[in-house]
Amino acid sequence: MGAMVPGMSTEIRNRLLLRIDNMQLMLPQGDVCAVESVVDLVSQDAVAPAIGRIAYLGQSWPVLSLNGELQTLDKIPAARRACVMLATGKGFLGLLCDDVRVLNQQSGSDYALPVAMRAGYTPVQAVMPFENGLACLSDARHLMQYGAFAQITATH
């Protein structure tokens, strides 16, 4: 592993673990406003890169379908069952996931990204050993500045 990220420690914190394909993405629990079912997604009249829209708090919001490398998909993989709603500052944005778990009082060490993972811009801020592999750590602010997230938040 690498050195610990400055300012990060083994303190206790609540996170959500999103599984998208084989990627495990941890976000602070406070960054996810709600978890909706993918069956509530309306696909007709979707404007790319969104795969559809979902109703939340009385309005309809765009939803992204991504692969495990955070690249936009133009279809919904059969494994996607949940849609997490992230606040964008101007509204909300849905992200389809295979699974969502609350990790109460998660403790452990966060490590800086390995050099090989630092090429190009990434919303991943650190990694953490988790179960039998690694989880990528990010937050809504960094996600909103990345790829399709940035494209949607600029137009909505």
Side-chain angles (χ1 to χ4, degrees):
M1 293 287 176
M4 286 186 63
V5 175
M8 295 184 135
S9 65
T10 57
E11 68 191 40
I12 295 173
R13 58 205 146 218
N14 292 339
R15 292 189 172 136
L16 287 182
L17 178 73
L18 313 181
R19 191 173 50 80
I20 303 171
D21 292 339
N22 291 324
M23 180 185 64
Q24 298 183 112
L25 179 64
M26 285 189 190
L27 300 176
Q29 186 173 5
D31 285 3
V32 175
C33 303
V35 179
E36 303 290 333
S37 173
V38 73
V39 299
D40 296 329
L41 182 73
V42 177
S43 295
Q44 65 255 35
D45 301 326
V47 178
I51 195 75
R53 299 183 72 77
I54 200 161
Y56 177 65
L57 294 178
Q59 293 189 38
S60 179
W61 303 101
V63 176
L64 291 175
S65 179
L66 306 176
N67 64 19
E69 296 177 3
L70 299 178
Q71 298 166 332
T72 307
L73 299 174
D74 58 2
K75 61 183 178 179
I76 302 171
R80 302 297 188 268
R81 300 180 312 161
C83 178
V84 295
M85 300 303 294
L86 304 170
T88 66
K90 298 178 185 177
F92 300 93
L93 174 62
L95 173 61
L96 297 181
C97 306
D98 300 343
D99 191 37
V100 179
R101 290 175 32 198
V102 176
L103 304 174
N104 291 321
Q105 310 234 333
Q106 183 68 30
S107 64
S109 297
D110 302 342
Y111 295 92
L113 289 178
V115 174
M117 292 178 69
R118 293 183 199 166
Y121 178 75
T122 177
V124 176
Q125 300 301 296
V127 293
M128 171 187 236
F130 184 76
E131 294 179 347
N132 293 326
L134 290 175
C136 299
L137 280 66
S138 189
D139 58 30
R141 182 176 65 89
H142 285 95
L143 284 173
M144 293 308 148
Q145 298 169 359
Y146 178 76
F149 293 95
Q151 186 177 348
I152 283 194
T153 56
T155 60
H156 290 88

